[in-house]
Structure formats: C-alpha cells, structure tokens
Amino acid sequence: MSEVIEAVASPGRRAVYEARLRKRSMRIAALSTMAVVVAIVVLVPLAPGWEAVKRSFFNGGVFTKTFPGLLNAFLLDIAIFAWSLPLIAIVGLLVAVCRDIQRPAFYPLRLFATIYTDVFRGLPVILVIYLVGFGVPGLGMPRPWNSPYIWGSLALILVYAAYVAEVIRSGIESIHKSQRSAALSLGLSPSDTMRYVILPQALRNVVPANMNLVVALQKDVALLSFVGPVEIFRQAGVYKSLFANFTPYVGAALIFLVITIPATRYADFLTHKRRRLEQ
Amino acid sequence: MTSLLRLTNVRKSFGTHHVLQGIDLDVSKGEMVCLIGASGSGKSTLLRTINLLEPIDDGEIILDGVDISEPGLNPQPVRQKIGLVFQSFNLFPHMSAADNVMLAPSRVKGLRKTELEAPVSALFERFGLADRIGHFPDQLSGGQQQRVAIIRALAMQPEILLFDEITSALDPELVAEVLDVLRALRGEGMTMILATHEMGFARELADKVCFLDRGRILEAGPPAELFDAPKKERTRQFLSQVL
Ligand SMILES: Nc1ncnc2c1ncn2[C@@H]1O[C@H](COP(=O)(O)OP(=O)(O)O)[C@@H](O)[C@H]1O
Ligand SMILES: [Mg+2]
C-alpha cells in the first residue's frame, strides 16, 4: 500500500531519467529542423536559376488563373476512380476466390485466375492502359463503345483487380486451417465456409493492404490522360502550353496531395490498429 | 445395446507415416468412450476421420447402419450428425457467441434466426452463459469459449459428439467448468467419444476406455479394468507416467 502512494507522490528514478531524455531529444529535433528550414529558405533563393524557377513553377498569377480549371478536371479523376473502385473490388474478390477452389471440375477457372493475376501484376500499368485504351477502340466499335473512358478504366480495373486478388488470397491463406475444420465439422458447405467464416476474417486482415492500393489507384487515374480523357494531368498540360508555364503541374500536385496524404495516413492508422489487435 | 457407430479396420496414413493402423471400435447409443494415449498416438486423427475431415485409406465407418466412409460420399449430411469440439476451441472470432452457435443451424438446416433464438438462449442458459450470449470470443475466458464451442456443436442436434482434448488448452482452474458440461451431457444420455488426458474424469464417467498406441487400440475395457488391472505392459507404462 505505502509503495503505491510513494510511486504516485514522486516519480521513480526511471521516470526522471526518461523525462530528461525526452526533453533532450526534443531539443535536438527542434534545432535540426530549424537548421534545415533556414538552409532552404536562405540558400535556395541564392541559387543562380532560382528566379527563373520561381517564375515558371511557382507563378502566383498563373496559379490563380488555372487552379479552378484544374479542380474541375479533377472531378473526372474522381469519377473514374469512383466507378473503377467497386468493379476492382468485385473482380478482385472473384479472382481470389476462384484461385482457392480445390474441386477438379473448377481447375480451368483456377488456372485462368492464376494466369490473370500473374500477367497483370507483371505488366507496367501504363503499358496495359496503352494496349487496352488504344487497342480496343481501334477495333472500330460504334459509339459509345469506342470511348477511351471505358477502355482506359477497364485497363485500370484489370491491373488493380489482379493486385487486389493477390492481397485477398494472401488474407485467405492467413486464416488458420482450424477455422475451416471447425466450419466444415458443423456440416457447412465449402462455399458457406468460405463466405461466412474465412472471407470475413481474411478481408478484415487485408484492409490496410487494400487501402494502400486505393491510394495508388487515386494517383494512377492520371495515367489515363495518355489515352484521351482530359483529367487533371492532361488539363495541366493544356494550361502549361497555353501559359508557357509549369505552375499548373504544381497546382495539380497540390490537389493530389490533399487527397492522397490523408488517405495514406488513414491506411497507416488501420495498419497499426490491426497490429495492435493481433497482439 | 445397439451399435450407433462402428469402426472396422480403419487405416489412415499421411505419406509414409501410418497414423491409424487398423482401428476397430464399437460405440453404442448413450455410451461414453474415452481415448487415452500418448501425444502422437493418433487420437485427434481418429476423431477427425469419424467426422470425415480426413478421408480414410481403408476400412469402414458405419453410423446408424450406413457406411459413411464410402469414397465419394457427400460428407455434409454426415457431419451434421457428428459434432466435433476442438482442443483450441476454434470459435469464429468475427462473430458473437450467439452467431457462432446459430450459423450452422441457419445455413445448413435453413432455420430462421427468429426460430433459433429461443432454443439457443436456452442452451446458453443451461450452461451458465446466459450473460455472455452477445460477447465475442476474445471477450470470453478459455473455459467460456470452450463451453460456447460445445453449445455450437449441440445446436446441430448431433447423434454423437466427439471431443478432442477439450480441456488441454485451459488454465487448470477453468477445467472443472468444462468437465461439468460433459457430466451434464452424460446425464442426458448423449453418445460421446473423448480424447482426453483427464484420467480421473475418464475413470469416473466412461463406459469404456481405449488405450491408443502408435495407431492401434492396444487395450480397451471398462475404466476399472483398464486403469486398475491393465493387461499390456505398454498400457501399464503409460498409466504410470500420467497417473
Ligand atoms: N495433416 C497431417 N499431416 C501429416 N501428419 C499428420 C497430420 N495430422 C497428424 N499427423 C501425424 O499423425 C500422428 C498422430 O497425430 P494425432 O492424431 O494428432 O495424435 P494425438 O492427437 O494422439 O496427439 C502424429 O505423428 C502427427 O504428426
Ligand atoms: Mg491430439
């Protein structure tokens, strides 16, 4: 009893030591940050090309003129992202489950799913976008089926579904065999076992990994600009030519960061939460 | 007495490792049979083959006069009649205790949640878990989890229950509450096969004790005989180590 009171009344030796350590490292961190900031603010403008860079990349006038148009173009990025995401989730889930079916009759399906994930994870995204985005409309299909929006999005869906499938499959494999045994022993069918016992746990385990893919997808939408859609990156290119100035790209970068940084932080948060839960 | 479950010359190997080397076992309705034997002697494998989680290589398993070991037979209807409770509980961690219990009856038997609520709460009530029905597995003690696992198996109204060392993963002070459940089931005439290290419990309640040794039932008999007057030297050795 007396020990407890003592501990509350005066901090122990360890606590005193740790507090001193904490104070010291905070002082060091503050000083070094200040040094870096001062160096940048003072030294960078001293560079011989700084005035030129400032004019063509950080031009306030161009920024205010182009920013609303960029924001507007970004709506298209959001739209492409929004309709691709659910399709990616569905295709990824289906492929992952197909790869897990053991019955011999489903062997072709399993083989196809395996080849699919191998191929699309093995190709650079931009290459798939070029091949599908230019290739399929090149078949001469009638409107609206020659739209680069559709085929560009399909390219993104194909690639990202392959990644999602792989992530989900690793989640399925991480669920201990005894869960399957327990479900089967109750008379549940293999498909009910997957649907009610394995998948819910597997999906929950891979939320952080999938969040990272979502963040990557947000950025890769900009790649569709190469096959036609005037989304933010292409719009920035148009402004760049119009004003002979690179500031629109900086504006586009800022818009991306406003979305992707919170999303990345959230993914990290989920990862840490999962790790804590697993302990 | 009528035989509910009969195993004849059941064999099972994993690769070149012969885990079950010709098991004969007869279990009558309402009987409680205990399997004892060293770790690795094949107790778990034997229970898993009866539940059709492991296909057997040779021999026969007859349940209610039907050969359930017939290759190619759909195991699902059979498993509904045979409950299995595991050493490591194996509750579904993403479901509440109630949902753990209701999943199989609702999916397999097509019963609605509303139909299941009353009988399921009655089961929780009976095993002293009425206030834990909405809890998730990680909010329950080991003993409580294991009792939920037993309720989950019971909810399918099986004809026979298999228990695989269900108290081995429990802290010593939690063993009694789980054994009490088995005692209650015994009182109701449930047919049971237990792989167990609880020799005192086996002696108290078993109709028959089988000593498994390297995939064979070396010796079987009423507990009084097997524990007090074992015929085989290996049985004697094993008992002297565990008693
Ligand atoms: N799935 C499996 N694959 C390979 N060997 C196994 C498998 N399951 C069990 N065994 C082996 O079978 C033997 C018997 O195991 P088990 O039935 O678990 O024994 P017990 O429950 O009596 O301890 C052990 O040697 C074990 O390594
Ligand atoms: Mg075992």
Side-chain angles (χ1 to χ4, degrees):
Chain A
M1 198 55 204
S2 66
E3 269 170 47
V4 175
I5 290 168
E6 240 171 32
V8 171
S10 69
R13 286 171 63 199
R14 173 119 217 125
V16 171
Y17 169 74
E18 277 173 359
R20 205 169 57 222
L21 217 60
R22 219 168 18 245
K23 223 180 268 170
R24 215 183 80 146
S25 47
M26 251 154 65
R27 214 159 37 223
I28 294 173
L31 274 176
S32 56
T33 310
M34 226 138 73
V36 170
V37 169
V38 166
I40 291 173
V41 170
V42 174
L43 294 182
V44 169
L46 292 181
W50 169 243
E51 275 310 317
V53 168
K54 203 168 108 180
R55 234 178 299 119
S56 53
F57 281 88
F58 303 102
N59 189 316
V62 175
F63 186 84
T64 30
K65 266 185 238 141
T66 57
F67 198 71
L70 289 175
L71 267 185
N72 203 27
F74 191 62
L75 292 180
L76 181 56
D77 289 81
I78 293 176
I80 294 171
F81 171 80
W83 73 56
S84 300
L85 193 60
L87 291 169
I88 289 168
I90 293 167
V91 176
L93 186 62
L94 285 177
V95 171
V97 171
C98 283
R99 288 193 68 171
D100 196 72
I101 298 176
Q102 302 297 332
R103 265 183 274 178
F106 288 87
Y107 180 74
L109 210 60
R110 212 166 93 213
L111 183 70
F112 176 79
T114 310
I115 294 174
Y116 166 78
T117 45
D118 282 355
V119 167
F120 283 97
R121 287 191 317 143
L123 288 172
V125 188
I126 187 65
L127 207 61
V128 180
I129 290 175
Y130 263 86
L131 290 177
V132 179
F134 285 133
V136 182
L139 294 174
M141 276 188 277
R143 301 185 63 158
W145 295 106
N146 57 1
S147 151
Y149 293 85
I150 295 180
W151 300 108
S153 307
L154 179 71
L156 276 183
I157 292 167
L158 287 173
V159 171
Y160 272 86
Y163 281 104
V164 167
E166 197 52 26
V167 163
I168 293 178
R169 197 175 70 102
S170 75
I172 290 173
E173 276 170 10
S174 74
I175 304 302
H176 200 269
K177 274 209 252 62
S178 60
Q179 286 286 309
R180 202 182 290 243
S181 293
L184 292 176
S185 80
L186 289 162
L188 285 171
S189 66
S191 56
D192 276 353
T193 298
M194 177 54 79
R195 179 168 158 205
Y196 292 99
V197 176
I198 309 294
L199 262 189
Q201 299 182 59
L203 290 178
R204 208 187 288 181
N205 286 352
V206 297
V207 164
N210 277 329
M211 266 308 289
N212 286 324
L213 286 177
V214 168
V215 174
L217 174 67
Q218 287 172 341
K219 295 178 289 182
D220 278 353
V221 167
L223 294 176
L224 289 202
S225 61
F226 290 111
V227 295
V230 185
E231 49 71 66
I232 186 167
F233 181 61
R234 197 176 175 99
Q235 183 65 57
V238 170
Y239 285 142
K240 180 211 72 181
S241 308
L242 201 62
F243 292 91
N245 192 291
F246 286 102
T247 306
Y249 284 129
V250 175
L254 285 177
I255 293 173
F256 270 110
L257 288 179
V258 166
I259 300 290
T260 51
I261 288 181
T264 316
R265 286 278 133 235
Y266 185 59
D268 285 355
F269 164 74
L270 290 177
T271 311
H272 285 133
K273 204 170 94 176
R274 271 239 71 78
R275 213 168 285 153
R276 268 205 312 279
L277 279 177
E278 272 157 18
Q279 275 165 9
Chain B
M1 281 216 278
T2 52
S3 160
L4 179 66
L5 180 77
R6 170 172 289 151
L7 279 67
T8 320
N9 191 31
V10 167
R11 290 175 183 275
K12 170 80 194 172
S13 14
F14 294 107
T16 56
H17 184 13
H18 302 285
V19 177
L20 301 180
Q21 312 199 41
I23 300 278
D24 296 313
L25 182 65
D26 212 331
V27 184
S28 303
K29 209 166 167 33
E31 248 190 338
M32 177 163 144
V33 174
C34 283
L35 303 173
I36 62 172
S39 166
S41 57
K43 303 181 295 295
S44 299
T45 307
L46 180 56
L47 295 179
R48 291 171 63 86
T49 60
I50 296 173
N51 193 253
L52 306 187
L53 284 173
E54 302 283 0
I56 60 174
D57 301 336
D58 202 6
E60 259 186 354
I61 305 175
I62 311 281
L63 177 72
D64 259 346
V66 178
D67 181 1
I68 60 170
S69 56
E70 177 85 33
L73 181 106
N74 177 10
Q76 281 158 243
V78 178
R79 291 187 185 132
Q80 295 173 39
K81 299 190 205 166
I82 306 175
L84 176 56
V85 184
F86 301 84
Q87 176 174 351
S88 48
F89 325 140
N90 299 357
L91 291 181
F92 309 132
H94 59 299
M95 292 182 192
S96 70
D99 287 338
N100 262 277
V101 172
M102 288 197 266
L103 176 66
S106 71
R107 289 304 305 169
V108 179
K109 296 193 167 168
L111 298 171
R112 260 172 312 205
K113 283 256 159 99
T114 46
E115 298 172 274
L116 283 166
E117 255 158 33
V120 167
S121 357
L123 279 172
F124 276 83
E125 184 89 41
R126 198 169 109 212
F127 295 116
L129 289 169
D131 55 337
R132 293 287 181 274
I133 191 161
H135 285 52
F136 280 76
D138 62 2
Q139 300 168 317
L140 300 173
S141 74
Q144 290 168 338
Q145 288 188 55
Q146 194 57 293
R147 282 185 282 158
V148 172
I150 296 173
I151 293 174
R152 182 172 72 176
L154 276 175
M156 287 301 282
Q157 300 181 305
E159 293 177 22
I160 180 166
L161 273 177
L162 314 176
F163 298 92
D164 190 0
E165 296 196 33
I166 62 167
T167 57
S168 296
L170 296 177
D171 291 333
E173 75 272 21
L174 302 176
V175 170
E177 64 188 64
V178 173
L179 293 184
D180 282 343
V181 171
L182 296 182
R183 215 168 265 128
L185 293 175
R186 174 94 181 90
E188 289 163 22
M190 177 54 102
T191 313
M192 300 187 270
I193 306 179
L194 272 78
T196 187
H197 286 300
E198 299 287 335
M199 297 302 158
F201 184 77
R203 181 195 287 269
E204 173 197 337
L205 286 174
D207 295 294
K208 183 161 74 185
V209 180
C210 303
F211 173 60
L212 236 74
D213 182 56
R214 288 176 287 189
R216 290 195 177 83
I217 294 184
L218 205 62
E219 193 170 351
E225 265 175 40
L226 194 115
F227 286 121
D228 298 331
K231 294 192 188 72
K232 297 272 170 41
E233 178 55 31
R234 287 197 65 89
T235 317
R236 213 168 297 144
Q237 266 177 12
F238 172 74
L239 289 174
S240 72
Q241 279 161 16
V242 296
L243 286 181

